[in-house]
Amino acid sequence: MFRYSIFLLVLVMALGPADLQAQQQEDSVSMKYMLEPVDISCGRFIYLPAADIQTFDSKFLSEHPSEQLSTLLSDYANVNIRSYGYSGLTNVSLRGAGSNHTAVLWNGFNIQDPMNGGVNFILFPLYFVDEVQVQKGGSSALFGSGAMGGVISLNNKLSFDKGINAGLYASYGSFENYKGGLSLNLSGRKAVFQIKTFAGSGKNDFPFVNTEQFGRPEMRQQNAAIKQWGFSQENAFLIGKRQKLSTHLWYVKANRELPPNMAQVSSEKSQLDESLRASAEWQYRITTGSVNVRSGLFFNKLRYSDTENDFMALHRNMQSISEAELKLQPFDRRDHLNLGLNFSYEKAQSDQYAGAPERTRTALFASYILRLIPKISLKLSARDEYVDEHFTPPVYSFGAETDFFGPFSFFAKYSTNYRIPTFNDLYWRGGMAKGNPDLSDESSWNSELGMNFAWDKKSKRVLTVHSSAFYSRFTNLIQWLPEMGIWTPVNRKEVLSRGVESRLVYNWFHRDWLFKSVVSYSWVHSTLEKKASNEPDEVLHKQLILTPEHQGNIQLKLRYKVWSFVYSQNIVGKQYVTSDHTDSLSAYTLGNIALAYEKTGGAFPWSIRFRWNNIWNTVYQTMPGYAMPLQNYELIVSIKFSSKPIKERKGKI
Amino acid sequence: MLLLLMFMGCNKDDENPDPAPDPELKVYYISNEGAFGYGNASVSLFYPEEQKIQNDAFKQANNRRPGDVLQSIMVKDNKAYLVVNASDKIEIAASKTLKELGVLNNIRLPRYMITTARANTAYITAWGDGGYVAVMDLVKDKITDTIRVGKGPEKMFWNGGQLLLVANSGGFKDDSTLSVIDLTTNKVQKHLVLADNPVDICADLQSIWVLCRGKVKYDGNYNIIGHTPSYLYHLSGDAKVMDSIELFADKHPMHLEVSSDQKYLYIGGGYGFSGLYRFDINFGILETNPFINKDFYGVNVDPASGLIYGFEAPTFTASGKMSIYSPDGTLKNELTTGVGPNGITFSY
């Protein structure tokens, strides 16, 4: 399949060079310059180099209502996904960092789990999200603990003056996967009300050849069923000309069986996840900026059970996060100053903790964009946090951007970052393991150089190219080691991560035709530089396990009037399973096809989409021994109701 | 970017550099557990005459791994029986080539396997279902009977007569019994109550020795609040307790081996235990200092040569190591194994 990939890449490159032009309007998966000074949810990204951020907008997401967030990130953002089977647990990793080194923002709140530092992606149905942004590289100065490898931001965006909008989608996929969702949005001049609900279930008993068992039997995946549902309710109000109040409420519940490794013949493991998130935001515009205050409450519950081995564990946690920001443009419309205060409270309960540990966190942060001359901007950020009774190391970031050279622009960034230990690191007890309350914070520094090329020929032929190279060092990383027969965490490891990321988007418009191609590639060389005392010397300076050095995506889209066809190819390089590289997972590449008929306009726009995944029947694994499905299909029907905007209906609401 | 993608496409697997097994050479079998949940257990073949090791031999022979956590290997009648703990199965392969011959599934957390004078029969300890010994028909490759014993049945010992001794190690909890099975009826004849957590059994010319590892005591916060000592029990050939010796007040060895000249017992190894100690059988004295000062995960003594094989598995994400010592404790060779080596099976 690598030959196909290279062929496709060459084809795309051959189509591109004649016409180079930049555009954003049709590019729903685009690199955006975000200069909206009063956008609460993503406003802080403006203090990073703009080309650093990849955005998936609501139009793009509406074409993928039933998809999992982790699949989207893997298919379109070159994010490294580690999945324990089709319905199993999924972790993400950015730029060779650990899975708990990715901050996940929900409407601006960093909601990494205080117990394990991760985020359960199954609890973020794409149907509820209006915008996904991926920012790679350290940005703790802006987003706090954990933002060492990058940030994934999920936003809800409510618009005023859109009238009445309702939507419904239903999908049926292979292995008895049923999904559906409903939405209602009432949008007036001063108020917006939105409610969404979704439900889904799947048996996921896909066939596969178990190459790890005697006789290589053809089997069906067992213990892989999943059921989930959720609802969201959101409101926004304009109060006078200066104030905006918005609220967000999400509830998601997922019950899933955890499939066995191919080397095991059965599993009776399952996991129930439940999440409730509620937040309110108040924004007040002043002459030269705005004041933003927001507060959120987050409840998570996880119940893991293994009936085969008579084991059950219940974990619950709660976070309260409050933040106040003052955003100013003191001297010029292009200068931005942001001053902020964050106060968080976290509490957890688990059979594996003695009591219910809790902690308070207070952080001060500030950012500034300075335009020395019109085409050069400097971006500075700093943050310090007080956690219980100690200050974390102060962190900062420095970025510079210039667009002196016609279609070319360049940026540079340097940041220092940190992650505080999780409750598991500090307080775990049980299963021959014990947390260490004396742990220090992890830290890292990250440097990056990048280039953008944007070329637009009368908006008919458009090309954007983004390339960057990064170099990062992670120190004091927490590692669990055996000590007197008990596993306990210590600050020990050091990791050096460097690499190159490139992305090319080419669009060609002609009358009713659109051809669009996206090619992205990343090379991440992430190596262990300081090992634990019990590890052999052979692990030093070697690529980290389960971190592919090479990863790439190719998407080709052809649209004619209401019809569209998309072919995508994802490429994931070889991944080592053992730290001395004696064992590995093979590289793989997946081909997917999507065919859509989309009727836009009118009061009832509707669409029907057909997705054919893994068309080349690639046998692959993202975690060793966990089978993944071969060819599979999904049919998605969606219909919307859209009234005219209120301003055209004169006083009906 | 194109060049890099092309480079990526050319990045072929470079696994399996070792040659195929040579069926004419004398060979021993090393069980490498692999990392739990990764299904990357492996078998290393060690050729003692050439002092060469061939890692990942089962995968090379069959293009697949034996399973998840290979606990032990038994070789009998030109067949190798691979006891795969977390996969709940016994893999059966040709002993010379390791070519797969069959599999026996649904044994709950199997640990060790042994044969006795009873023809075509093997006994398998299993931690699942509260702890039992499975009786296997080696011709039909079927389980014909199960015998309930204590918790976490580990090593077994056949006394050469009608008794099979089973050390109930406690498994995930604690036990302090030794089950004595009457091989004429395949029933438990009696449970001997020893010290905490019997794990290993061996014998000299006259008597049987049982190692009880003791245990660490924790409070609710996993702080260590004390220990129960490890003990060595001395039993007669017909499984009667004759004597017991306290070994370590606060250390918990997992392995017990006898020297080929029957003069010493070697005690040590296992998770969290440092050093291999020597116990003088004639004088009944445990030497104060370690005979070999290494952290062995597993240890075995070749009864023919008297060589001591120590296995280090410091991390389950990288290869382990096998060290070979002469009977006087001199290091003779060190070789890299698969992930998590825990022991070697000698075959002649």
Side-chain angles (χ1 to χ4, degrees), chain A residues 238-277:
Chain A
L238 290 177
I239 305 165
K241 290 184 178 177
R242 291 181 176 273
Q243 296 182 69
K244 178 180 170 186
L245 180 67
S246 53
T247 65
H248 304 279
L249 177 71
W250 278 32
Y251 171 79
V252 183
K253 183 176 182 179
N255 206 339
R256 59 186 155 165
E257 298 171 339
L258 304 177
N261 188 299
M262 287 163 73
Q264 300 161 334
V265 287
S266 66
S267 164
E268 293 176 17
K269 301 179 181 76
S270 64
Q271 185 167 314
L272 170 78
D273 292 290
E274 216 172 342
S275 167
L276 178 69
R277 308 180 191 106

Side-chain angles (χ1 to χ4, degrees), chain A residues 206-343:
Chain A
F206 58 86
F208 69 101
V209 176
N210 193 330
T211 53
E212 297 298 319
Q213 297 287 346
F214 174 72
R216 287 150 190 78
E218 283 190 28
M219 305 176 73
R220 282 197 166 271
Q221 182 64 290
Q222 61 104 209
N223 205 56
I226 185 167
K227 284 183 182 171
Q228 54 184 331
W229 79 279
F231 71 88
S232 69
Q233 203 285 309
E234 280 151 306
N235 306 292
F237 306 96
L238 290 177
I239 305 165
K241 290 184 178 177
R242 291 181 176 273
Q243 296 182 69
K244 178 180 170 186
L245 180 67
S246 53
T247 65
H248 304 279
L249 177 71
W250 278 32
Y251 171 79
V252 183
K253 183 176 182 179
N255 206 339
R256 59 186 155 165
E257 298 171 339
L258 304 177
N261 188 299
M262 287 163 73
Q264 300 161 334
V265 287
S266 66
S267 164
E268 293 176 17
K269 301 179 181 76
S270 64
Q271 185 167 314
L272 170 78
D273 292 290
E274 216 172 342
S275 167
L276 178 69
R277 308 180 191 106
S279 72
E281 305 168 6
W282 175 73
Q283 179 182 350
Y284 183 81
R285 281 175 186 267
I286 55 178
T287 310
T288 54
S290 66
V291 176
N292 303 309
V293 178
R294 77 185 90 158
S295 190
L297 274 175
F298 309 91
F299 298 92
N300 292 302
K301 176 180 166 185
L302 184 158
R303 190 182 69 211
Y304 173 88
S305 70
D306 180 357
T307 51
E308 194 176 18
N309 294 309
D310 194 24
F311 178 76
M312 203 276 283
L314 178 65
H315 309 295
R316 283 183 293 188
N317 66 67
M318 185 276 273
Q319 288 172 280
S320 160
I321 304 172
S322 297
E323 218 162 53
E325 284 180 276
L326 174 63
K327 301 183 177 191
L328 294 173
Q329 293 173 288
F331 307 115
D332 182 273
R333 286 290 296 169
R334 290 178 171 179
D335 287 359
H336 294 272
L337 171 66
N338 188 37
L339 298 170
L341 175 69
N342 176 299
F343 179 80

Side-chain angles (χ1 to χ4, degrees), chain A residues 63 68 78 87 100 105 113 141 175 183 228 237 242 263 299 358 434 450 456 462-463 529 549 628 643:
Chain A
E63 294 170 5
Q68 288 193 17
N78 265 7
S87 62
N100 50 17
L105 310 181
D113 191 306
F175 326 125
S183 69
Q228 54 184 331
F237 306 96
R242 291 181 176 273
F299 298 92
E358 57 186 356
K434 182 187 170 192
D456 184 334
V462 178
L463 179 86
E529 298 301 310
E549 230 172 313
M628 299 298 277
S643 73

Side-chain angles (χ1 to χ4, degrees), chain A residues 2 6 9-10 13 84 211-216 261 263-266 308-309 354 429-434 482 484-487 500 502-504 519-521 523 534-536 539 545-546 550-552 571-574 576-580 582-587 623-626, chain B residues 1-2 4-15 36-40 56 59 62-68 84 86-89 91-92 100-103 105-106 108-109 172-173 216 218-224 227 250 271-272 314-320 336-337 339:
Chain A
F2 277 107
I6 299 304
L9 185 71
V10 171
M13 293 295 191
Y84 289 83
T211 53
E212 297 298 319
Q213 297 287 346
F214 174 72
R216 287 150 190 78
N261 188 299
Q264 300 161 334
V265 287
S266 66
E308 194 176 18
N309 294 309
R429 61 175 177 84
M432 304 303 287
K434 182 187 170 192
M484 289 288 289
I486 299 293
W487 288 82
V500 175
S502 254
R503 181 176 176 79
L504 176 154
V519 182
S520 56
Y521 169 76
W523 172 70
N534 68 334
E535 291 178 305
V539 305
I545 62 170
L546 301 174
H550 306 282
Q551 206 168 344
I571 304 149
V572 179
K574 179 177 176 177
Y576 292 101
V577 175
T578 49
S579 49
D580 57 351
T582 53
D583 195 5
S584 63
L585 289 176
S586 299
M623 286 294 286
Y626 285 89
Chain B
M1 186 157 69
L2 177 61
L4 284 169
L5 261 182
M6 290 179 75
F7 167 72
M8 175 186 172
C10 296
N11 192 4
K12 303 286 187 194
D13 269 13
D14 54 1
E15 291 177 18
F36 176 76
Y38 274 44
N40 62 342
D56 230 359
K59 189 182 175 192
N62 304 296
N63 198 27
R64 70 178 177 94
R65 297 179 178 89
D68 198 20
V84 193
S87 294
D88 292 346
K89 68 177 180 181
E91 286 277 352
I92 306 163
E100 59 190 355
L101 297 174
V103 65
N105 283 313
N106 300 317
R108 300 289 306 282
L109 301 175
F172 300 117
K173 297 175 181 171
V216 185
Y218 302 97
D219 67 8
N221 293 325
Y222 259 71
N223 296 311
I224 296 173
H227 298 258
D250 57 358
Y271 188 60
T315 167
F316 285 83
T317 59
S319 303
T336 300
T337 66
V339 175

Side-chain angles (χ1 to χ4, degrees), chain A residues 163-210:
Chain A
I164 301 171
N165 287 276
L168 177 152
Y169 91 89
S171 78
Y172 173 74
S174 303
F175 326 125
E176 296 185 34
N177 267 287
Y178 301 90
K179 290 173 188 166
L182 279 168
S183 69
L184 175 67
N185 181 297
L186 307 175
S187 173
R189 286 200 187 103
K190 297 283 187 182
V192 183
F193 168 90
Q194 178 174 279
I195 187 164
K196 287 185 178 180
T197 183
F198 93 104
S201 74
K203 201 170 176 186
N204 300 316
D205 59 339
F206 58 86
F208 69 101
V209 176
N210 193 330

Side-chain angles (χ1 to χ4, degrees), chain A residues 127-144:
Chain A
Y127 189 60
F128 288 179
V129 183
D130 297 316
E131 182 184 71
V132 177
Q133 293 174 296
V134 180
Q135 180 262 317
K136 295 178 181 175
S139 51
S140 285
L142 290 163
F143 303 110

